[in-house]
Amino acid sequence: MTNTEGTFITKIQETITLSDTHDGYISCSATYPVNGGSKTATTEVTLSVSYAPKDTSASISPSDLVSAGSWVELSCSSRAKPPASFTWFRNSKHGAINVSVGQVYSFYATEGGEYYCVATNDLGHQRSSVILTRIGGSRVSVCITMKILGIVTLCGAFIIFESWFKLSNKLPKHTNEADVDRVIELQVT
C-alpha cells in the first residue's frame, strides 16, 4: 500500500508462541528494493516473558570425598521469571524429606546421602538431578585412634614404672658390708 507521500507501508504479522527464549528483545526487519539496490528497515520490541523454572541444577562444595563432620555446601540454580524459590530434599528409605529452604543448604556431613533441590515459581517447578554426598576417612576415627594410642602409651609407662619399682626394691641397698660386719662385731664384743 502506497500513501500520499510516496512511501510504502506494509504490515508483517507473525504469530509466535512465547517461551523463555523470547524474554528480552525481539526484532523485526524488512528488506526492500530501492533504485537498483536494497534497503533494510528494522524495529525492536522489548518483551517481558514469564516462564517456569528451567535448567535447574544443584552443585556441591567440596566436590570430592568428604570426611565425617566436614562442612558441606549445596547450591541450587535455575532460570525462571519471576525468580524461583528453592527447597532442598534428602532421599531416605521412607521417601523424600524436606531438609531446607533457600538457594544454599549447608550442613556438617555425618553420613552419605542423596540430595536434590526443587525450583518453584507461580508458573511451575523443576527438580534438579540428585547429588550424592560420599563420606570418606573420618575425623572421628582419627580422634579415636589418637585416644587409643594415648591410653596404650600411658599403660605402657605405668607397666615400665611398676617393673622398675619392683626391681629396685629387690636390689641390695648401697651399704658397705664391711662396715655392717664391724658394727656387728663391735656390739658383740
Side-chain angles (χ1 to χ4, degrees), residues 8 14 26 43 78-79 98 101 115 120 135 141 148 184 188:
F8 182 74
E14 184 178 342
I26 190 166
T43 186
S78 184
R79 292 187 312 107
N98 182 332
V101 173
Y115 296 87
T120 306
I135 304 298
S141 65
I148 291 171
I184 293 171
V188 173

Side-chain angles (χ1 to χ4, degrees), residues 74-76 84-88 98-105 117-118:
L74 303 179
S75 298
C76 192
S85 59
F86 302 96
T87 307
W88 285 96
N98 182 332
V99 292
S100 183
V101 173
Q103 192 167 3
V104 176
Y105 172 45
C117 66
V118 175

Side-chain angles (χ1 to χ4, degrees), residues 6 11 15 21 36 39 41 46 55 59 68 71 80 82 87-88 93 108 130-131 133 136 144 148 174-175 180:
K11 187 175 192 179
T15 303
T21 60
K39 201 167 190 181
T46 303
D55 304 326
S59 61
W71 188 251
T87 307
W88 285 96
K93 61 183 176 182
Y108 287 105
V130 170
I131 288 182
T133 58
I144 291 171
I148 291 171
H174 291 289
T175 57
V180 172

Side-chain angles (χ1 to χ4, degrees), residues 41-178:
T42 303
T43 186
E44 286 187 347
V45 176
T46 303
L47 295 178
S48 180
V49 180
S50 297
Y51 53 94
K54 304 232 181 249
D55 304 326
T56 303
S57 65
S59 61
I60 183 171
S61 176
S63 59
D64 297 332
L65 198 65
V66 296
S67 299
S70 294
W71 188 251
V72 175
E73 185 175 281
L74 303 179
S75 298
C76 192
S77 65
S78 184
R79 292 187 312 107
K81 194 170 184 181
S85 59
F86 302 96
T87 307
W88 285 96
F89 295 90
R90 181 173 195 261
N91 286 333
S92 76
K93 61 183 176 182
H94 304 293
I97 300 169
N98 182 332
V99 292
S100 183
V101 173
Q103 192 167 3
V104 176
Y105 172 45
S106 301
F107 58 95
Y108 287 105
T110 55
E111 60 184 355
E114 294 180 351
Y115 296 87
Y116 65 90
C117 66
V118 175
T120 306
N121 69 7
D122 294 339
L123 300 172
H125 63 275
Q126 188 180 46
R127 175 183 157 165
S128 74
S129 57
V130 170
I131 288 182
L132 179 64
T133 58
R134 297 178 300 143
I135 304 298
S138 169
R139 287 183 186 169
V140 174
S141 65
V142 170
C143 218
I144 291 171
T145 302
M146 294 303 289
K147 286 180 181 178
I148 291 171
L149 283 175
I151 291 169
V152 168
T153 303
L154 186 61
C155 289
F158 179 77
I159 290 169
I160 291 170
F161 176 77
E162 185 179 16
S163 298
W164 173 81
F165 185 76
K166 286 180 180 178
L167 186 62
S168 67
N169 282 339
K170 289 183 179 180
L171 293 175
K173 301 286 187 228
H174 291 289
T175 57
N176 190 342
E177 290 182 18

